[in-house]
Amino acid sequence: MAEKLRGVFTPNMVPLDDRGEINESELRRYIDWLIERGVHGLYPNGSTGEFTRFTAEERRRTIEIIADQNRGRVPILAGAAEANVRESLRACEHYHRLGCRAVAVVSPFYYKLGPAAVYAYFREIARNSPIDVTLYNIPMFASPIDVATVQRLAEDCPRVVAIKDSSGDFTHMMRMIQAVRPVRPDFAFLTGWDPMLMPSLLMGCDGGTHAVAGVAPEAMRRIFDLTTAGELSTASDLQYKLLTLFDTMINPSFDFPAGVRAGVELRGFRLGPSRQPQSGPTPIDGAKLSAAIDALLK
Amino acid sequence: MAEKLRGVFTPNMVPLDDRGEINESELRRYIDWLIERGVHGLYPNGSTGEFTRFTAEERRRTIEIIADQNRGRVPILAGAAEANVRESLRACEHYHRLGCRAVAVVSPFYYKLGPAAVYAYFREIARNSPIDVTLYNIPMFASPIDVATVQRLAEDCPRVVAIKDSSGDFTHMMRMIQAVRPVRPDFAFLTGWDPMLMPSLLMGCDGGTHAVAGVAPEAMRRIFDLTTAGELSTASDLQYKLLTLFDTMINPSFDFPAGVRAGVELRGFRLGPSRQPQSGPTPIDGAKLSAAIDALLK
Amino acid sequence: MAEKLRGVFTPNMVPLDDRGEINESELRRYIDWLIERGVHGLYPNGSTGEFTRFTAEERRRTIEIIADQNRGRVPILAGAAEANVRESLRACEHYHRLGCRAVAVVSPFYYKLGPAAVYAYFREIARNSPIDVTLYNIPMFASPIDVATVQRLAEDCPRVVAIKDSSGDFTHMMRMIQAVRPVRPDFAFLTGWDPMLMPSLLMGCDGGTHAVAGVAPEAMRRIFDLTTAGELSTASDLQYKLLTLFDTMINPSFDFPAGVRAGVELRGFRLGPSRQPQSGPTPIDGAKLSAAIDALLK
Amino acid sequence: MAEKLRGVFTPNMVPLDDRGEINESELRRYIDWLIERGVHGLYPNGSTGEFTRFTAEERRRTIEIIADQNRGRVPILAGAAEANVRESLRACEHYHRLGCRAVAVVSPFYYKLGPAAVYAYFREIARNSPIDVTLYNIPMFASPIDVATVQRLAEDCPRVVAIKDSSGDFTHMMRMIQAVRPVRPDFAFLTGWDPMLMPSLLMGCDGGTHAVAGVAPEAMRRIFDLTTAGELSTASDLQYKLLTLFDTMINPSFDFPAGVRAGVELRGFRLGPSRQPQSGPTPIDGAKLSAAIDALLK
């Protein structure tokens, strides 16, 4: 049986070149940098990775490049949500052949589906996937996955091995842990809400997938290590500094993930033009963002 | 200059065969039936048409079949939202070549974008599209297009000729008409909220795109004709019967557009298996749905 | 049997003197002015009347002054929501003795109650009230009253004779009319959403309670008269001008009902200091507000 | 300078007798029981205490009885929100004379006010109150108090000494602590979300006001003691059991605080008839509730 998912996963962005195509060499350089700075795993084709703004072929190509560059150093959690179950399963098969550890599948989006349909969707994928499946709950963007549905899927589908929860609702995470852990101790809980990594770990989470880990991987890793080692006072100081960075990068005055993009560029990577057209200058305060990164890293 | 969009457009569903592929012959038969029953126009690749559950190739194929079968009888409003602006523009070009009257482009979805980004997105498409563009506002599924943004786009982009508003917010429609009509009298307002067709027409709308028109095209057309002819009492009776059908087909106890699917099948078309997996029997009450259709048609 | 509620009711504000007490003479002058300008009825102790910011004694005193000044000229719909059912019933009895036509009772607020509790609350009041009861639905401030609950109350409680709906949801109003009219043709539907008076009347409403009627009573009355007389083109022009005034007075940049207050003062009444403390200058644009009133009145 | 607010406060319910009047003897017995079981403080006239369903006189009487029975044993945080600032200040003065430690004032409710008005409201109270003021943020029922407003009030008003946050939003609490603690180290943060007491304390909170403390005061106190003593494993077990009780008592299938009422009665207190009328039998599962209490207490 494969090892439980654990630690800090990076939902990485994809660099583009001047023509707007995937910049393969810069992507390889970025992946190396993330691994060298200590992230436990990679998570391409997530929301931070703007998966909806790429074509199906481009999503596939992104995973191929990353799997090749990774050379088995860290587990890859590959985003595999496509237009429908059949297309998603094709992605699952391909990512399985590439040696990914698991796929992550976001709940159906655009239409807001009820629990029965969300269950049916994931069950169909889980029954046919050759690779482990992580549920991805992000109710601000996609149909919510409620606690009872997570529990049913955990009970009925051995292939479902984890949930990534980006709801930002601490109690929701506690409820899922309480419902699932007794029946599936191998099931992993990853928080997708960066400011809550430390308290989430203290209440039983196994790790997180954090946009901030694409900008300050060292710090995210350090919060994980300090918290699991019981050094709570130092961990707390760092967690609050990370909150400052998070609120500087991700806030309502500009559109996600524009702030993460700016942060990655401040760390020395060229991400190229955004797939989302811009009108006017960006409202992101680069000096403030830079200061927040420095405060967290020093 | 092309004629203003006006009347009842049908956001049609796409029949599938037993293997889950587009059922071309049934789609052609359905299109003929809709046109013969009096719809003013067709609107493939909309929300009712489950555009997100098809691949880019399938969306293109759907338009090709419909344009071919239509043979210029009614205007086609072709849904052209793809993964990003470049892909959407390719669709615009193709649908232009096929002789569609205009494209409809839903506001960016998944990410919830602010007004500046929504404006930039549509402006980029409008500047480069060879075919007229209809904005598509459906805030329950996609980033909202606010009144000021509609006004800016109407002023800045001659290529933007209409908005389809599925917000269900009557005052929002009035605000858009008030803001845009003085500067762009050629701009068309289509309501996407079936129960409000009659009052919307009375307050200045030009028509609507209505899921119910895919099930009861005769009735939708009749409400339009009666209202524009000033026969308000008869129109009102029919509009209330349509409300009953709408609430029977589209309600929170089952997922959209499952009820529309059931309604189209009751009219004699085989839509085949849904792309969205089901668990357990459908909660749709066929007898009640059939009665609501009959009450509206007689 | 009393006559059905019909026409334009004014949810009037209460003038205060320099010490912050009810300014009785100005209130009497304002009431005369409203009646002389043609409102069909008065509606004190509503949301526009800031009922929650007065004590129980003050709410009672307001009705006493208005009933005395009215001298039976127009029907009074008296807001009678108090801390609990027993206190509300005391108010009902008192307003009955004063000759009010009916009371209006807002759905329980602060706590967000479900349909069963909302039903139980209104049933208890309706069973014991000596005066007709109007339900008041304003889901942005209080527990929503859903369609099924309105229907049950209409069927079970002869004392409940009307609903005032301030949801702003046009379809909701249509659903209520459709559910209740067949079983209670005497039941009145009043819209509380000013920009929708005309279309609401055309779809079967009996009238409205409109904050704008406290600022431009002549115009509100004229929209009612024109619409019921079938002069739709003139009515529509006026309704759109009213929308401009509404959006100038009631919008998210300042707190309700500060804009209504400013409007009433522009018509020549001294409302005195607000019960809600202010910090800094008001963001209301007096010149713009004045222009919107003038455009509507001329 | 008074001591900082700290520990577990109980937002107690008020027993009524058969006539629906305050049951003084049962209230006194309940208060003694709570203090004897270890709660750090009392919090009458809160949301759990159904303050809006009592008259101004009854709210005052409740505090008088509790202050008398308490005889200075524990600090009292007295809910002092009345119809307007003047009435609230009268309550502040009275509760100051009665020896309460501080008042708690909920943000203005019914109307949803913006930050400027919320600030002005609390500033006016803080400037004139003879007793320390705790802000009470409960956005599901009242106007939200945002982080910037809390910071401004903490900086401008020495009388404001704490905030009780019932948002259930963990990150919001962290943001407030981060914004206020550097400028006001004496300012206390109390969480009003029972399932998050332990993680909140670990991230810097000073305590909480918890409805569950009115049903299982011993357990709430124990979670506080274990967490502050660093016995995290035992604390976590207890916190998860408390989550079960919380979800059994407080959930969408019945109206708050009906489940708390049932819980207090299971502990041996007669609370009498609810001020909120009921229709039909209660949907609360007494056996399940009793089991959840037992599991937490053993």
Side-chain angles (χ1 to χ4, degrees), chain C residues 19 21 47 50-54 83-86 109-111 113-114 116-117 120 141 255 275-279, chain D residues 19 21 47 50-54 83-86 109-111 113-114 116-117 120 141 255 275-279:
Chain C
R19 292 163 307 135
E21 307 290 348
S47 299
E50 299 183 282
F51 75 103
T52 61
R53 290 169 178 163
F54 289 88
N84 52 57
V85 167
R86 185 167 62 178
F109 54 93
Y110 191 71
Y111 305 98
L113 300 181
F141 294 159
D255 297 300
R275 286 272 167 103
Q276 163 62 37
Q278 305 297 315
S279 65
Chain D
R19 293 162 307 137
E21 308 289 349
S47 300
E50 299 183 283
F51 74 103
T52 61
R53 291 171 178 161
F54 289 87
N84 52 56
V85 167
R86 185 169 61 179
F109 53 92
Y110 191 72
Y111 306 99
L113 301 181
F141 294 158
D255 298 299
R275 285 272 167 103
Q276 163 61 35
Q278 305 297 315
S279 66

Side-chain angles (χ1 to χ4, degrees), chain B residues 17-116:
Chain B
D17 62 22
D18 293 346
R19 292 163 307 136
E21 308 290 347
I22 295 175
N23 184 335
E24 183 175 330
S25 62
E26 193 72 353
L27 177 54
R28 289 180 182 270
R29 193 169 74 89
Y30 183 40
I31 293 301
D32 278 349
W33 182 83
L34 289 169
I35 296 174
E36 286 158 14
R37 260 152 197 76
V39 300
H40 293 97
L42 299 168
Y43 171 34
N45 285 349
S47 299
T48 306
E50 298 183 283
F51 75 103
T52 61
R53 291 171 178 160
F54 288 87
T55 63
E57 292 70 32
E58 288 174 325
R59 282 190 287 272
R60 190 167 292 227
R61 180 76 188 124
T62 295
I63 305 289
E64 289 166 353
I65 294 168
I66 292 177
D68 181 68
Q69 187 67 17
N70 179 46
R71 296 186 313 278
R73 286 179 284 176
V74 297
I76 297 175
L77 187 57
E82 297 295 337
N84 52 56
V85 166
R86 186 169 57 179
E87 301 298 322
S88 291
L89 283 171
R90 281 180 190 162
C92 290
E93 286 154 15
H94 190 57
Y95 302 156
H96 180 54
R97 283 191 299 269
L98 293 174
C100 294
R101 166 67 187 86
V103 293
V105 180
V106 71
S107 186
F109 54 92
Y110 191 73
Y111 305 99
K112 294 291 167 284
L113 301 181

Side-chain angles (χ1 to χ4, degrees), chain B residues 281-295:
Chain B
T282 173
I284 300 173
D285 183 338
K288 198 175 159 194
L289 180 54
S290 187
I293 295 174
D294 289 348

Side-chain angles (χ1 to χ4, degrees), chain D residues 59-245:
Chain D
R59 281 189 287 271
R60 191 168 291 229
R61 181 75 189 124
T62 295
I63 304 289
E64 288 167 353
I65 294 168
I66 292 177
D68 182 68
Q69 188 67 18
N70 179 46
R71 295 185 314 278
R73 285 179 285 176
V74 296
I76 296 174
L77 187 56
E82 296 294 338
N84 52 56
V85 167
R86 185 169 61 179
E87 301 298 322
S88 291
L89 283 172
R90 282 180 188 159
C92 289
E93 286 155 15
H94 190 57
Y95 303 156
H96 180 54
R97 283 191 299 269
L98 293 174
C100 294
R101 166 65 188 87
V103 293
V105 180
V106 70
S107 186
F109 53 92
Y110 191 72
Y111 306 99
K112 294 292 167 281
L113 301 181
V118 168
Y119 172 78
Y121 175 81
F122 282 118
R123 189 188 59 178
E124 188 71 13
I125 289 176
R127 278 184 176 169
N128 295 285
S129 171
I131 181 172
D132 283 349
V133 174
T134 297
L135 311 174
Y136 178 9
N137 184 41
I138 184 163
M140 80 186 92
F141 294 158
S143 305
I145 315 177
D146 64 18
V147 175
T149 300
V150 176
Q151 186 177 354
R152 280 182 73 195
L153 288 166
E155 286 171 354
D156 298 351
C157 308
R159 198 42 112 189
V160 175
V161 301
I163 187 161
K164 176 208 161 163
D165 180 65
S166 296
S167 68
D169 180 346
F170 199 88
T171 317
H172 183 72
M173 180 62 93
M174 290 178 66
R175 287 177 177 130
M176 291 194 297
I177 291 176
Q178 188 173 50
V180 172
R181 191 146 281 168
V183 289
R184 283 284 303 274
D186 63 305
F187 197 97
F189 296 89
L190 305 175
T191 174
W193 201 250
D194 308 33
M196 301 197 312
L197 176 57
M198 176 186 164
S200 298
L201 292 170
L202 291 172
M203 296 312 287
C205 269
D206 302 287
T209 69
H210 297 303
V212 171
V215 175
E218 315 88 326
M220 236 40 255
R221 173 63 189 263
R222 200 144 176 258
I223 292 174
F224 181 86
D225 290 345
L226 287 166
T227 306
T228 52
E231 300 187 33
L232 302 194
S233 173
T234 318
S236 175
D237 285 352
L238 214 52
Q239 183 70 71
Y240 272 102
K241 279 177 188 154
L242 189 143
L243 173 61
T244 303
L245 174 56

